[in-house]
Amino acid sequence: MELICIVCPKSCHLTVDGDKVSGNGCKRGELFAKEEAIAPKRSVTTTVATAFCDFPVLPVKTESDIPKAKIEELMQFVRGLYVTKKLKCGDVVAENILGLGINLVATESVFTQKQEVSE
Amino acid sequence: MSRIFDVAVIGGGPAGLAAAVSASENGASVALIERESRLGGILKQCVHDGFGLIRFGQKLAGPEYAERYIELLKNTKTEVFLTTFVTAVKKADFGFSIAIVNKEGISHIDTKTIVLATGCRERTSKQVLIQGTRPSGVFTAGVAQNFVNLLGKMPTKKCVILGSGDIGLIMARRLTLEGAEVEGVYEVKPTPSGLTRNIHQCLFDFNIPLHLSTTVTRVFGEDRLNTVEVAQVDEKMKVVEGTERIIECDALILSVGLIPENEIAETLDVKINNATKGAECDQTYMTSVDGIFSAGNALNVFDLVDYVSESAQSAGASAADYQGTKREYIEIERGKGLLSFVPTRLDILGKLDKVILFFRAARDMDKAKLILKINGEIKLEKKFSYLRPPEMQRLELDLQNYGLDGSSKVLLTLEEGWN
Ligand SMILES: Cc1cc2nc3c(=O)[nH]c(=O)nc-3n(C[C@H](O)[C@H](O)[C@H](O)COP(=O)(O)OP(=O)(O)OC[C@H]3O[C@@H](n4cnc5c(N)ncnc54)[C@H](O)[C@@H]3O)c2cc1C
């Protein structure tokens, strides 16, 4: 199987043959290829709506990669979230998303002049 | 008497942040000037990840990367001027006087040296020729990114993307995730201009088609765009008749490249390099004007933010060290195979043992060899298994033992084929 490594911008051209990987520039590429061949995973980055009019959306990411097939479902779930606290970069926005054992975390600190909103 | 800073950094994106941190750490008094109300530059709207693999050994989102640097900045004594716009820069006997406008009115910041870190801007529809009406609904990928990621608003339900630059690819994925339909990405050239990994993870992962050698030929719509026409082009970029196709959509998103922002540099008569479209600079990132340094995407569209930070860190340190010592320059000649590189010139009286060279190949090359010639003699060769124009390369060179003097001719070329 021929793959393009998406771990870093080098975009190495990988070949997977059984459990042999070639074309990778580093160890991360080998791991990526092995996983991609069986169960592809992606990290997902998006934004969550907030209650702060001067900071309407908070950037977030999945703490680690989730199955590619779950991305659509994750986006549905994220659409239902609403941030009312002045979260800091790295804070958990939602725990154990879709039961995957992975948290959704903020990738920026809420930047607002407004008070925290109670739910 | 008013105060004179050692270094004034213009622009508070990743380049400006790194320059300010490093100038401070090198003992300089520093002013950091940013026109927006918060620091971070374009990274604020780059919510996707992939930043910082080199600098922090981690895959960070854009705002996360920016926050790391903002924290580093807080540990320095840098004086930060937010919501402050630089209108003009004038030479003065002590260095430079920077005219600024902010909510306190019009004033100036005096400084011995300046680091220009004003970033880059996107090419717009003025720079690509499309016929038809001028309805709303034609905007750049960066504008779309600003809408979605900072304002939380969707600018389109169904769109066509023209150009395969990285921001366009990133936005194709982003808009798809948010429920819009991206009909396709159209690239007039036969090869994509974005990174290969972005073609895969942003387009192919979401079944978004990439049409090479195809362009948008016409746009239609009264107030709002409602239709575009696309067509294939031949090797001479001429439209192939009979290949026209009509697509209904409400937006045409342009991702046709970035160019360094040189407005301030030009008023100072800083020489601009033909290849990078940014300032000419030496190995310390000083431009053709003494005391003016340039870094980040204002100097050269680096793409990779890690390289932006690295160049700016050096520029900041160089500005802090600046004593007005005499320099003697030789230009580095750009031979065949190279699209662009920095530094574009060498100060042969300065340090030459660790020159960081950033370069891009002019075209896709397999088994490429970078060759450095001095006075016609090959001094250095470096092999690469393959090179692609979108992927900038970084190389550390030791040039101190080649006896460079004012009459030396330094030539860089890229050749294909080695065993
Ligand atoms: C729309 C867009 C999207 C991008 N997306 C990516 C991406 O996904 N990944 C990636 O690696 N790179 C991306 N880039 C490239 C990006 O520019 C660099 O990675 C990085 O942000 C460059 O840092 P910088 O500090 O040089 O410029 P910037 O981040 O652009 O910062 C420049 C700063 O200077 C300020 N400024 C400009 N002029 C003045 C003035 N006259 N007075 C005061 N302040 C001023 C601006 O407000 C801005 O904050 C993108 C570029 C653009 C334009």
Side-chain angles (χ1 to χ4, degrees):
Chain A
M1 178 158 59
E2 303 277 323
L3 291 174
I4 295 293
C5 185
I6 59 170
V7 176
C8 89
K10 263 179 122 175
S11 314
C12 288
H13 298 241
L14 311 173
T15 310
V16 192
D17 187 5
D19 60 359
K20 278 240 279 298
V21 179
S22 54
N24 53 308
C26 74
K27 189 82 192 157
R28 288 188 306 237
E30 186 182 333
L31 293 176
F32 168 79
K34 285 184 174 161
E35 212 164 59
E36 188 72 2
I38 310 159
K41 284 183 171 177
R42 296 288 181 268
S43 61
V44 177
T45 56
T46 181
T47 55
V48 173
T50 79
F52 309 104
C53 54
D54 54 350
F55 193 86
V57 284
L58 175 67
V60 297
K61 68 173 180 188
T62 53
E63 223 167 11
S64 51
D65 296 356
I66 68 162
K68 211 168 133 182
K70 292 275 183 188
I71 294 178
E72 186 58 47
E73 202 182 325
L74 174 75
M75 288 305 292
Q76 290 289 344
F77 170 75
V78 167
R79 257 168 234 143
L81 297 174
Y82 191 60
V83 170
T84 53
K85 292 199 170 65
K86 288 188 180 178
L87 296 179
K88 290 258 175 285
C89 184
D91 284 353
V92 173
V93 177
E95 274 178 13
N96 186 17
I97 40 169
L98 313 180
L100 293 167
I102 292 167
N103 296 331
L104 193 69
V105 295
T107 54
E108 189 171 18
S109 303
V110 171
F111 186 91
T112 176
Q113 318 293 347
K114 305 276 178 305
Q115 293 289 311
E116 264 183 38
V117 190
S118 55
E119 272 162 285
Chain B
M1 211 183 80
S2 84
R3 143 160 214 219
I4 300 171
F5 286 94
D6 293 324
V7 180
V9 179
I10 305 179
L17 287 165
V21 168
S22 105
S24 295
E25 285 173 352
N26 280 279
S29 59
V30 182
L32 175 60
I33 310 164
E34 167 58 51
R35 65 181 167 200
E36 294 196 10
S37 60
R38 67 194 164 105
L39 296 169
I42 215 79
L43 288 183
K44 298 193 298 288
Q45 69 185 54
C46 298
V47 306
H48 58 280
D49 62 7
F51 301 86
L53 271 172
I54 300 172
R55 176 66 181 79
F56 295 109
Q58 263 175 297
K59 196 167 71 172
L60 303 173
E64 240 175 341
Y65 186 97
E67 273 204 39
R68 296 247 174 141
Y69 266 97
I70 294 168
E71 287 306 312
L72 293 175
L73 187 79
K74 283 183 187 156
N75 298 329
T76 71
K77 294 203 183 81
T78 303
E79 216 169 299
V80 181
F81 298 81
L82 291 172
T83 330
T84 301
F85 193 81
V86 170
T87 53
V89 179
K90 285 208 178 65
K91 285 186 192 171
D93 48 9
F94 52 80
F96 305 91
S97 182
I98 303 174
I100 55 166
V101 184
N102 57 22
K103 57 178 184 297
E104 275 118 52
I106 300 172
S107 58
H108 58 95
I109 293 173
D110 294 339
T111 180
K112 291 180 191 152
T113 64
I114 292 179
V115 180
L116 297 170
T118 47
C120 57
R121 62 166 86 163
E122 296 176 276
R123 289 179 202 269
T124 60
S125 54
K126 280 201 201 98
Q127 282 129 329
V128 288
L129 217 65
I130 302 170
Q131 294 182 2
T133 51
R134 283 286 174 265
S136 70
V138 183
F139 41 84
T140 65
V143 167
Q145 193 176 45
N146 189 300
F147 263 87
V148 182
N149 295 343
L150 288 179
L151 305 175
K153 295 219 158 51
M154 282 293 280
T156 175
K157 287 197 180 71
K158 180 180 175 184
C159 65
V160 158
I161 298 182
L162 177 62
S164 55
D166 285 306
I167 311 168
L169 302 177
I170 298 279
M171 283 316 292
R173 173 177 67 183
R174 185 78 186 104
L175 291 164
T176 306
L177 283 174
E178 290 294 343
E181 181 188 345
V182 178
E183 195 274 343
V185 174
Y186 296 81
E187 170 60 58
V188 72
K189 287 180 290 172
T191 51
S193 50
L195 295 172
T196 315
R197 77 157 175 173
N198 284 340
I199 303 285
H200 282 258
Q201 65 179 355
C202 298
L203 301 186
F204 299 166
D205 267 9
F206 296 91
N207 301 316
I208 301 167
L210 171 64
H211 305 270
L212 297 171
S213 300
T214 311
T215 192
V216 171
T217 43
R218 286 194 287 176
V219 298
F220 305 91
E222 289 291 317
D223 298 332
R224 178 81 187 197
L225 178 116
N226 57 35
T227 312
V228 302
E229 182 194 73
V230 299
Q232 285 169 23
V233 298
D234 61 19
E235 311 83 64
K236 295 196 182 99
M237 301 269 168
K238 275 251 175 62
V239 170
V240 181
E241 264 182 66
T243 63
E244 296 89 353
R245 193 157 58 85
I246 291 290
I247 302 161
E248 276 180 34
C249 57
D250 64 11
L252 171 63
I253 298 179
L254 305 169
S255 179
V256 288
L258 302 170
I259 29 176
E261 172 62 75
N262 286 316
E263 238 167 49
I264 299 171
E266 275 162 9
T267 66
L268 284 161
D269 289 327
V270 166
K271 271 198 208 128
I272 302 298
N273 181 264
N274 258 336
T276 61
K277 310 270 186 257
E280 298 272 3
C281 74
D282 65 16
Q283 70 269 35
T284 71
Y285 295 96
M286 192 163 93
T287 67
S288 63
V289 177
D290 287 356
I292 302 279
F293 296 78
S294 177
N297 281 2
L299 174 68
N300 175 22
V301 178
F302 282 96
D303 302 318
L304 214 57
V305 77
D306 305 73
Y307 291 160
V308 164
S309 299
E310 183 185 353
S311 71
Q313 190 178 336
S314 305
S318 309
D321 286 347
Y322 180 73
Q323 301 289 344
T325 327
K326 186 169 176 294
R327 300 187 183 212
E328 187 175 348
Y329 294 112
I330 51 175
E331 306 296 319
I332 304 177
E333 197 188 328
R334 180 165 59 101
K336 60 181 185 344
L338 280 154
L339 187 64
S340 63
F341 54 81
V342 284
T344 56
R345 41 159 61 181
L346 294 169
D347 164 25
I348 53 168
L349 304 178
K351 283 182 70 175
L352 289 163
D353 58 335
K354 277 188 190 154
V355 175
I356 308 294
L357 177 78
F358 292 102
F359 71 92
R360 281 180 204 280
R363 56 189 164 81
D364 284 10
M365 285 188 193
D366 285 325
K367 298 201 166 176
K369 193 161 60 176
L370 181 81
I371 301 168
L372 174 89
K373 281 188 189 165
I374 298 176
N375 299 327
E377 222 180 288
I378 296 181
K379 294 291 184 190
L380 238 151
E381 287 186 329
K382 169 87 184 156
K383 291 173 178 175
F384 298 85
S385 46
Y386 56 86
L387 292 174
R388 310 272 177 267
E391 292 157 27
M392 173 165 283
Q393 301 292 325
R394 174 193 183 279
L395 211 58
E396 189 177 315
L397 304 176
D398 181 352
L399 303 176
Q400 67 178 343
N401 296 322
Y402 298 135
L404 288 173
D405 63 35
S407 65
S408 303
K409 297 249 172 302
V410 181
L411 172 71
L412 274 178
T413 47
L414 271 176
E415 281 177 13
E416 209 166 0
W418 47 263
N419 298 311

